[in-house]
Amino acid sequence: MTSIEADTRRAGALAAGETFAALESSASSTRFGHVELTHEILEWAARNYGEKLIVASNMQDAVLVKLGAEARPGVDVLFLETGYHFAETLGTRDAVAHVYGVNIVDALPDQTVAEQDALLGKDLFATDPGQCCNLRKVVPLQRTLAGYDAWVTGVRRVEAPTRANTPLVSWDERHELVKVNPIAHWTDEQMDAYIAENAVLVNPLVAEGYPSIGCAPCTAKPAPGADPRSGRWAGFTKTECGLHG
């Protein structure tokens, strides 16, 4: 992509971000409830980026996949196949592909788990989780996104302090493409209600007490009343896998 093309796409993303931010701020006085605003954002993304649009999902639930498939049937769905997932997560991925008719794009690391163990020592996640996430998530993500013009994420502001200011649409400087966060404004209660009202597929681990699901070795049940993400990388100061900056 040339610098002129990048500048044009960046300007378009920032303009769209301002437009949708204005719609969000006036939602109480317009027809745009939280779901309607999300539909509007995704329809804009599908209209502008078509086959160059990809929806990212960790398969905790299929809310974003369902919404993305409504805007663009058969949309590509990015799944980071780290080699460390719970069986329930892989089962959810396969069910999602069948139920919502989407195209799963498995983003694979350069090395299998066994190859990584042989090269860098067994269970890198236990000694250097940051490097493990980089090799098995960040690098595969970057390589996959290079084939697209825009990506859709399920980041929500209520999930963590680091996500509190997430815009609905922005320009992703790291990957040089448009980043769409169409459910950034949804509360936990709104997510739960949408799942219940629409019979959305949910990873069975959620019902077992896992409110934030990542790789199996680095995901534990949080203590009652604790931050939902406290079960991720327990024992480390790490709170993000590095996918969103």
Side-chain angles (χ1 to χ4, degrees), residues 52-241:
K52 290 293 187 177
L53 177 73
I54 191 167
V55 176
S57 177
N58 66 356
M59 300 301 162
Q60 180 158 319
D61 60 64
V63 170
L64 190 63
V65 174
K66 177 182 182 299
L67 291 163
E70 289 172 350
R72 180 172 172 76
V75 69
D76 285 356
V77 172
L78 188 157
F79 177 72
L80 297 175
E81 174 49 293
T82 65
Y84 284 119
H85 284 296
F86 291 98
E88 291 88 343
T89 299
L90 298 179
T92 301
R93 174 200 61 187
D94 296 343
V96 160
H98 176 71
V99 172
Y100 300 104
V102 295
N103 178 46
I104 301 294
V105 178
D106 285 324
L108 300 170
D110 291 328
Q111 301 163 335
T112 66
V113 170
E115 289 169 343
Q116 179 174 290
D117 284 349
L119 183 65
L120 299 173
K122 184 173 174 55
D123 297 344
L124 181 63
F125 59 80
T127 58
D128 192 344
Q131 185 181 14
C132 190
C133 281
N134 184 65
L135 293 173
R136 309 201 73 78
K137 293 183 178 181
V138 177
V139 172
L141 176 72
Q142 292 173 334
R143 181 166 53 238
T144 303
L145 291 183
Y148 294 88
D149 293 339
W151 69 308
V152 180
T153 88
V155 171
R156 291 187 300 122
R157 297 165 187 157
V158 297
E159 291 174 321
T162 53
R163 301 180 177 188
N165 297 314
T166 299
L168 297 171
V169 178
S170 64
W171 175 253
D172 187 333
E173 293 287 353
R174 180 194 294 186
H175 301 110
E176 292 195 318
L177 78 172
V178 178
K179 187 174 184 180
V180 184
N181 308 300
I183 59 172
H185 55 301
W186 287 33
T187 65
D188 289 339
E189 293 75 18
Q190 288 169 338
M191 284 287 288
D192 291 343
Y194 186 85
I195 288 170
E197 291 167 6
N198 294 276
V200 176
L201 284 177
V202 176
N203 191 317
L205 291 172
V206 173
E208 294 180 17
Y210 291 86
S212 181
I213 302 168
C215 292
C218 300
T219 303
K221 293 181 183 180
D227 185 319
R229 287 183 65 84
S230 64
R232 303 288 294 277
W233 305 287
F236 292 91
T237 57
K238 181 177 173 63
T239 59
E240 295 281 355
C241 51

